[in-house]
Amino acid sequence: MEKKTQIQKSNLLHLVESKLEELKQNGSYRQFINIQKSTTNFPEFQFIDKRGNTKNAVNWCTNDYLALSIHPHVIQAASAIIQSQGVGSGGTRNISGSTAAHLSLENTIAAWHKKEAALLFNSAYQANLTTLATLGRNIPDLIFISDEENHASIIEGIRGHNKKYIFRHNDVYHLEEILKSIPSEIPKIIVFESVYSISGTLAPIQQIVRLANKYHCHTYIDEVHGVGLYGPYGAGKVEELGLETEIDFINGTLSKAIGCFGGYISASAKWIDFIRSFASGFIFTTSLPPSICIAAKSSIETIINRAEIREKFFKNVEFLRRSLNEKNIQYTGKETHITQIVLGNAVTCKQIADYLLNQAGIYTQPINFPTVPKGQECLRITITPKHSFDQIHKLVFHLGGVLTDSISIIGRASMLSKAQLNLSNEIIKKKFPWIKVVIKYTDTRGDDLQDVPLHTQEGSDFFTDRVSQSLGAHEADIAVHSLKDLSNEHFFGKNKFAVIDRDEVRDIAIFNEDITDKLKKGIILKIGTCSFRRETLAIPFLKEVLPGFGNEILLESAPIRGNIDTRLQKLSNKEYDGIILAFAGINRMLKTNEYKDLFQDLLKNKKIMVLPLFECTPAPAQGAIAVECLVSNPTASYILDQINDSFLFETCASEKKLAGKYGAGCIQKFGISFVKTNDHISYYAHGIDQHENSIDEWYPTQEIKNTIHPDNILHSDDLGFIAERINLRSSAYIKTSAVFVSHISSIDKGMEAQIQSKIIWAAGTATWKKLAAKNIWVQGCADSLGFENSISLLQTPLLNLKDDISILTNEESAKRWESEKYPAFSTYAIHYKSELIDRYKIKCAQLLFWSCFAHFDLIKDILPDDLIHACLPGKTSELLKQHGIRPILFPTIKSFYQWKKKYSQVHSAA
Ligand code: PLP
């Protein structure tokens, strides 16, 4: 028996779970927002989003139409009674009686509706349900004739055994047909609403009254969304039409325009006495708190006496409608104050509402089945006199952007461009999941000229102009480009742009496997490059860092064109010994499902070198994807605004602007790169400008007070620090595939043997070159910006080393890295050898550049008080800040020496 009960219980639980799941699947699952209402900021409120963050939003679905819930008179009235009479009423009217507050409110309501009496309920829902059910139960042959869009409380009220007819919404012809079909002697009542709460439609009240009179029928009107707003004294639509005597029952709420709580019916004294005497839902429930009754009374008096509140309300309704019309946004509910935007799909409705709330701080409630029939799912928008014109503008601006179901994007048909288009699609879909993205392709001049070096051709925008032109021809809404291919004229021109993603900015050199043999033989190596910049910067750098095995490194640069897969194929075919490409392109392909295998195959048995930022500076905006649209396309413009990454946009635009200073176009022999370490951003321009002058400039330029004597600018490496080798424990065996060499002191003979088979990364190019001199192949370096700044590079799919790398460093740093769960080995310890001359240097120092924190730590007690500290923006600066020091940040050691040189020149000239 017990087992059977258990099975029944678990079956029921299963049923409950599956019903909830069904709601979730079809988008109708109701989630209630967690909000903090405010008397001072209404209609703005605070809410807690899914991640637990507190955010602000404006309420666009409140039924507190006149904002009377926060009106000082109303608050004052409620507070005074709470003080004098307490909070609750203490019982049903039957037990605790009617307080003066209850009676006074009922009298006020009755007078307002020009009726003999009124009866309070705990809500209008309760009033509808209880009154209609009481009528039905006590008058068994009463027939209900109900509008098909009537509120749930009415549907529940007429659910009993009485006969009922449902007439098509607001269709008086259908209503008359029904009335005609019922014998005249049978009692009947037409039940309808004045203002329909969701669709915002208005009932043909006069015609219904006329039919009711013609067919000797009673009438019951739900004025929940009419009271407080319409009519000379705000008593509702019935008052506006002067039909109080024609309608038998008026139902209203105290919770919406009146801004308090509770509901009522108002009718003749006989009917009220009847309901009061037979209605279980009135008799057996605790009555409203007296404070609420007094607050509601005060609110009704405010509505009657302060017509300007309603005037402002309708002015706002009109302004909202006008703004929607200007943007061509379709809505219904034009006869009333309720604005409904039908979306016709529960999932879309929820996605748009979620987007508006979380991205734009706009709270609109999605209205789904069963509140509306399936296919009529909508956003219901309401307003109050407290909404500002600015808030209305913002609402309409965002609605204008999101109410679209599809958008087209266009780009080149190359594999890389397809990957970029797919990524753009994903980014749009992530933000706007309801928008279908159609992808289109076009060829470009650059594709037509596959085998011609582009600098030999007139013009620019070889890979972008046709893509952009398709926007003007309305072939697509959004164009997708590699930003580095866009000329400054176009990017800073009349169209709108967003930068939506940026992969690694560096270049990469890729070699065939036999490169080491060829280097050992000392033969000339053919390196494929496709830009003057790479030829100018990367080729000389490679000469310095390829292991030479005692030979001079002979490199010959040869032009290479074609898409990246073609270029890699040419390398595999041995047409070149090495090629130089943008890291970003390959990395992007490795991130796709479609092309990953092909590229892994093309990269098999290749040796790579990730080229450094400062010696082989990348092209401006390298690795970035830009999307473009016409300013006249509002939806596309809106989408661009929302998917733009402002940090990427700013940095890419700054790089492009800087490039403009030195001469743009296909013939650039320089690179520009931003460098971000912690919160510090700087830009570096390096190479040869249009006038053949060499460039080596940092932006912004360092502003350092000019009272320092050049001799007193020191670098901590020049002080008496010594690196003392520590013998590695015999257990110190490096298990990872890669090793990060933070200083050449980390490498002794034993270590050298151990790392031979490993992938080597260097802290900077100085260490790289020293390792190359030991004939060690280095895959890349951290540009002296610290290991932490190369972690994102190391975890790219192409390198995939983040969790497979050990750090060789000094004793102190090794401890720090170990505490951050990196395998770290200390191969040397830093000591300070105190000598008189060194101490004197330190005593006179005015600016000291720290190459590592360990240096500072060892001599911090003997530093002059007014010393200016300087360092790189990585770990050292962070640790100095923990000692209360605000160091001057140089992006690189090189930039420090460049600054020092310039400063000394200017100083000695002065
Ligand atoms: N009638 C209609 C048409 C409504 O829209 C509502 C509220 O949503 C009610 C009745 C119930 O009103 P109350 O909130 O006072 O229960």
Side-chain angles (χ1 to χ4, degrees), residues 196-197 212 273 287 487 577 594:
Y196 283 84
S197 61
D273 198 23
S287 64
S487 68
D577 294 303
E594 304 95 303

Side-chain angles (χ1 to χ4, degrees), residues 394-421:
K394 187 175 162 196
L395 168 74
V396 175
F397 168 75
H398 286 283
L399 285 174
V402 300
L403 298 177
T404 187
D405 47 16
S406 96
I407 193 106
S408 57
I409 61 175
I410 193 162
R412 294 174 62 203
S414 70
M415 271 186 208
L416 178 58
S417 168
K418 280 183 180 163
Q420 292 178 342
L421 283 158

Side-chain angles (χ1 to χ4, degrees), residues 63 65 121-128 149-154 192-198 222-225 251-256 260-264 338 380:
N63 286 328
Y65 296 126
F121 290 82
N122 291 351
S123 68
Y125 186 103
Q126 186 81 349
N128 275 337
E149 282 195 11
N150 273 342
H151 187 255
S153 54
I154 296 176
F192 63 111
E193 296 176 25
S194 58
V195 173
Y196 283 84
S197 61
I198 306 295
D222 173 322
E223 275 262 57
V224 162
H225 295 275
N251 160 280
T253 183
L254 302 171
S255 312
K256 300 188 196 295
C260 298
F261 188 70
Y264 63 85
I338 293 162
R380 172 184 183 265

